[in-house]
Amino acid sequence: MKNTIPLPPLDWPEFLPGWVWLCGAGPGDAGLLTLHGLNALQQADVIVYDALVNEEILAWANPQAEKIYAGKCGGKISAKQVDISQQLVELAQSGKRVLRLKGGDPFVFGRGGEEAQALVAQGIAFRIIPGISAGIGGLAYAGIPVTHGAANQSVTFVSGHDRKGQASALNWQAISDGAAVLVLYMAMKHIARISRALLDAGRPEGEPVAVVSGASTPDQRVLETTLGALVKDIETAAMAAPAIICVGPVVNLRQTLDWQAIVAKA
Ligand code: SAH
């Protein structure tokens, strides 16, 4: 269904020249952008966007806006990240309305904080527009609630690698003991080590695990497996990044809540 929806009446913030707005674009499905994000797109002079941003969203921008692809940094705090922050600073200093568009939520493993700090250091005004993070909204598209009644009262979000791209030097025992549900971002590369660490920490071989790749996009794929079989099954199913991995009892809810399959059958 094609539909052009103007912004509903609200006192929408005005994007002033020389400002940077750091905005989350959601996990993939363009409709998961927020209305503040749409308001930003309509006013921005320049849009600096990441690899995981759905380009359909860019079509909603002011047609005169310049679009700059900032690529991805392979999980490393690389020279490139410094360059991006520097680029945001320079664009703002040249008097542009700069929209920095990032996949998911800018403050969830998105380096939004680092970029905002670079702006603060240069005295540049900014606004943060949260987005739907892949670890919540992406799992919802697979029919997995990150919390559910009796299943869990807490959830832990974990990055599978650190700032240098190495397997995270985390206290896996504490992580394993701390929450019934773990949501792993950027974990595919080091999944063998991570699943071993969780098993060593006492999580059972039979613990349910879901791997959701391309969540909320037309390429979404879901692998349901167990902690013991995870590495082998990822290989057999040729699951690829970007993927969110959910470990814990909520994964079983997908058997009844996989709404995309229910819709497809109706
Ligand atoms: N700021 C983003 C996360 C960026 S880190 C957010 O809040 O979602 C990049 C990681 O996010 C990927 O390695 C993957 O683990 C996850 N991710 C982002 N988009 C995804 C998608 N559509 N499907 C599955 N995982 C995704």
Side-chain angles (χ1 to χ4, degrees), residues 95-118:
K96 299 260 168 59
R97 298 170 183 86
V98 186
L99 176 59
R100 175 71 171 117
L101 205 51
K102 290 169 164 291
D105 182 282
F107 276 4
V108 179
F109 304 130
R111 305 213 177 89
E114 287 90 326
E115 291 178 15
Q117 283 176 326

Side-chain angles (χ1 to χ4, degrees), residues 27 52 103-105 108-110 133-134 185-186 212-215 242-244:
L52 288 175
D105 182 282
V108 179
F109 304 130
S133 191
Y185 290 70
M186 296 177 279
V212 186
S213 67
I244 277 289

Side-chain angles (χ1 to χ4, degrees), residues 183-198:
V183 176
L184 311 175
Y185 290 70
M186 296 177 279
M188 294 293 270
K189 189 164 162 215
H190 298 300
I191 195 57
R193 263 194 254 177
I194 293 169
S195 59
R196 186 69 259 156
L198 290 173

